[in-house]
Amino acid sequence: MEYVSRVPRPPLDGLIDDLYYLEGAPPYARLTLPPGPSALLVVNLGAPFRIRAGTEIETAGYADGCVITMPTRAFEFGYPPETRSVGVHFKPWGPAPFLPMPAAELCDRPVTVEQVWGRPAVAELRDRLATAAGPHEMLTLLEEELMRRLCETAGLGLVRRTSGVIAAAAGAVAIGGLSVAAGVSGTHLTRRFKELIGVTPKRLARTYRFAATVFAIDPAGPIDWGDLAGGAGYFDQAHFGHEFRAFTGLTPTRYVEVRRRFLREHPGHALDGWPLPAD
């Protein structure tokens, strides 16, 4: 599988972690994507893919691509035998300047790119991407489209600064102190977060803490779960296990087993690190 990515130029770099191109056979027909402190835009250039946003929700197909604001639950992606797309890994607040609706309306509800940008515009963009000379030109075209659509967004500075504090502390912050430091009421801060990210500051902090904990795990070696839970600031191992199941649907030990399976069956794969095999 070919994966090409790069950080966009300013001011997009303050909203986006990277732009990427993906092509080839996925490692598994179905992949589970645990919720993390990021959002996603995919412009699909191959066969449709499918997404199930929670076990109680039916799987839906996406032909043109999808937009996913920061999730609170694991998503399951179903891939065709060959996939091809370009996309954006946004910071949690990153999609806000490109959305015609509050992010809270899309929380855990993936939508097509057409629903966000309109069918004619998306059809034109997909045509230009499909005829580009290669991945790097495609990423440049996507970057230009994002620059063209970038707009002023009320409250973005406040949400971005406060989210930065949460991120820097890996979620280990006193939520009540965030509004005091920002000079606004807790109600105002929560409202802005839900408008621009889709979740509350408390939920964002939980997600950053979970992500930092997962990335601290070395699945190839022995794991002291007590030390890991304590180092991440969880009350105890029961609290840690509850959070793990809430974010992944798996116990910590089962998560490591699944991660080890990925490493064993697809060592060095471009997608290793966050997605999990759902088969």
Side-chain angles (χ1 to χ4, degrees), residues 93 95-99 150-157 192 195-196:
W93 57 88
F98 308 100
L99 297 177
L150 183 63
C151 62
E152 292 291 328
T153 304
L156 184 61
R192 285 301 195 195
E195 288 174 355
L196 303 186

Side-chain angles (χ1 to χ4, degrees), residues 21-64:
Y21 169 82
L22 181 68
E23 181 177 14
Y28 301 96
R30 295 184 301 125
L31 284 169
T32 296
L33 188 68
S38 64
L40 180 66
L41 180 148
V42 178
V43 181
N44 190 39
L45 302 173
F49 56 85
R50 303 184 68 80
I51 300 176
R52 185 172 66 166
T55 55
E56 73 281 6
I57 298 175
E58 291 186 6
T59 302
Y62 295 81
D64 70 299

